[in-house]
Amino acid sequence: MTMLMRSMLALALLYPAFSHATTWGETKVQDPIDRKAKCDVQEPMSSGSYIYQWPEKYDQVFWPMTDQNGIWFCKKSGFVAFIGDFEGLTDAEKARISQYLRENYKGGKDEGSLEAKLKSLEALYALREKDEAFRNMLLRALARWYQDSGDTEKANEYRRKALEGIRSALTGEMPEDQKLQYLYVAANYTRELGDAEASDRYLVELRDK
């Protein structure tokens, strides 16, 4: 188990939540789709370990991706991704994304809204070559975003999908820190979705690790 994961799980399991501020600063990044364009985004300036106490700990997704500033958006092309995930796209990924944006992004005012960004975020990541661990994290991040937006039903739809993947992954081999994280999420999700017995079993397994 990594020291970072030990710290995150200890904070999530043992300590109460506190409200603290984070700060951001403006910057520009290269648009991966339109090489002639720069995108106005925000980058973190300050935070602290208190970010691991916020409610998103139950989904095991954390600031800055749970902050609107942590969803980087390029107004000109419509490209959107989590903070820091603008680089390393393959030519095939760029081609698929470019086609999608040509067909779906019109550059209107509403397309800069949180609702539009979340929809595009999910659509564009479906076109990228990400592993299963990332795709599960994306489902959990979307669950948290819709939960915070007041749509608990939709949030739980994403949680059910994430839980299905977690259950499947837990039957195989994985790094210990990932297994601890998945057990923690599974315990929370099964309880949230009404299966307290399953939640207790995951908690026992987590406690015994």
Side-chain angles (χ1 to χ4, degrees):
M1 188 189 334
T2 67
M3 184 62 70
L4 175 60
M5 181 55 66
R6 286 182 185 276
S7 299
M8 287 168 59
L9 286 173
L11 286 164
L13 289 167
L14 300 177
Y15 294 168
F18 296 94
S19 177
H20 294 270
T22 57
T23 60
W24 296 81
E26 295 180 358
T27 190
K28 292 182 181 292
V29 293
Q30 178 65 54
D31 188 325
I33 302 303
D34 186 343
R35 301 304 297 176
K36 297 179 181 179
K38 295 284 186 179
C39 311
D40 295 317
V41 297
Q42 300 278 327
E43 61 182 359
M45 300 295 289
S46 66
S47 66
S49 60
Y50 47 81
I51 64 174
Y52 300 116
Q53 304 311 304
W54 293 342
E56 52 261 40
K57 69 184 181 183
Y58 298 113
D59 298 286
Q60 283 291 290
V61 290
F62 299 99
W63 187 91
M65 72 170 52
T66 54
D67 189 294
Q68 284 203 48
N69 290 325
I71 300 177
W72 282 1
F73 171 66
C74 295
K75 186 175 181 180
K76 186 172 182 181
S77 70
F79 183 78
V80 62
F82 285 125
I83 184 171
D85 199 19
F86 269 38
E87 298 181 356
L89 277 75
T90 66
D91 289 342
E93 287 176 309
K94 291 178 183 178
R96 291 193 294 268
I97 291 169
S98 294
Q99 180 177 350
Y100 176 88
L101 292 173
R102 282 195 301 271
E103 295 173 354
N104 295 278
Y105 180 70
K106 308 305 179 185
K109 181 179 179 180
D110 290 345
E111 290 181 290
S113 68
L114 175 60
E115 181 180 4
K117 287 178 183 177
L118 292 177
K119 181 179 178 180
S120 186
L121 188 75
E122 184 175 10
L124 296 192
Y125 271 124
L127 302 174
R128 295 181 63 171
E129 296 159 10
K130 295 291 188 178
D131 62 21
E132 289 304 313
F134 179 92
R135 296 196 182 282
N136 195 275
M137 181 278 296
L138 176 61
L139 291 171
R140 291 181 277 120
L142 290 168
R144 174 46 51 182
W145 271 109
Y146 285 110
Q147 179 79 43
D148 289 345
S149 298
D151 193 341
T152 301
E153 183 177 352
K154 191 165 187 176
N156 283 340
E157 289 178 8
Y158 285 103
R159 291 188 176 113
R160 288 186 184 92
K161 292 177 184 178
L163 180 59
E164 182 180 353
I166 286 171
R167 282 173 162 160
S168 177
L170 284 171
T171 65
E173 297 295 323
M174 68 178 69
E176 186 178 6
D177 56 351
Q178 184 183 17
K179 187 167 188 176
L180 290 169
Q181 183 186 55
Y182 276 14
L183 287 170
Y184 179 78
V185 173
N188 286 317
Y189 280 10
T190 49
R191 192 167 297 273
E192 173 73 21
L193 297 171
D195 191 345
E197 289 185 5
S199 177
D200 288 342
R201 290 195 297 270
Y202 286 123
L203 286 173
V204 168
E205 188 173 356
L206 180 61
R207 182 196 63 194
D208 292 344
K209 285 295 178 183

